[in-house]
Amino acid sequence: MKPTERIEPGGGCWPPSSLVSPEVERVGERAEGRSTETLRIRVRGGADSLTAAAAAPAAGSETKREIVLMAGMHAREWIGRAVVHYVAASLLASTRSGSRQRRLLDAFDFVVLPMAKVDGYVYSHEVDRLWRKNRQHNDGTTCVGVDMD
């Protein structure tokens, strides 16, 4: 996968599934104009009876609980993106009732943010392999980037 490639369900990265519904949502734009996207993974049509109690919403809530998987907080740490992509693909491919992934999907919705610092990630591929920060321009200085930790 190229560093600038968008999340595309069914576009080669994600296996097709009749059970699981992937939804891509644009959640922001970074300093250099690249968009940040999340992939929401949920079971179509609700939970199995096996995990209905775990899937029950918290008091006062109308939706299932969510697990958020986020990678790319440090631009130079490339493996994190691959890990969350692997987990997302595994969840999307899980159709066998009773499997570990299926039980998780029945109990929770997943939100995957594979790249928090998309500009820094691209910069670490194209210019400086050890670049850690985002690429935000700082007023009053020539320094670029903020370490968001």
Side-chain angles (χ1 to χ4, degrees), residues 24 35 80 133:
V24 175
S35 65
K133 306 179 236 178

Side-chain angles (χ1 to χ4, degrees), residues 123-139:
Y123 190 80
S124 74
H125 274 268
E126 296 176 351
V127 179
D128 181 355
R129 172 61 182 96
L130 296 178
W131 186 261
R132 176 184 166 96
K133 306 179 236 178
N134 65 15
R135 296 291 299 158
Q136 178 179 319
H137 300 279
N138 299 304
D139 293 337

Side-chain angles (χ1 to χ4, degrees), residues 17 21 40 47 52 62-63 67 76 98 110 123 125 130 138-139 146:
S17 173
S21 173
R40 181 177 297 275
E62 296 180 13
T63 60
I67 293 177
R76 66 183 174 205
F110 286 79
Y123 190 80
H125 274 268
L130 296 178
N138 299 304
D139 293 337
V146 172

Side-chain angles (χ1 to χ4, degrees), residues 42-122:
R42 62 178 65 169
V43 174
R44 295 177 198 261
D48 274 353
S49 59
L50 290 173
T51 57
S61 172
E62 296 180 13
T63 60
K64 287 195 302 189
R65 295 179 189 172
E66 294 180 337
I67 293 177
V68 178
L69 303 172
M70 183 169 61
M73 281 303 294
H74 298 127
R76 66 183 174 205
E77 296 169 358
W78 297 350
I79 193 67
R81 182 173 186 222
V83 171
V84 297
H85 273 259
Y86 175 82
V87 171
S90 177
L91 289 168
L92 288 170
S94 62
T95 57
R96 197 179 80 233
S97 184
S99 70
R100 184 180 333 172
Q101 294 92 335
R102 175 69 185 270
R103 288 192 309 267
L104 285 169
L105 281 168
D106 288 338
F108 302 97
D109 289 343
F110 286 79
V111 178
V112 180
L113 175 64
M115 197 170 3
K117 294 181 182 172
V118 63
D119 290 338
Y121 181 82
V122 171

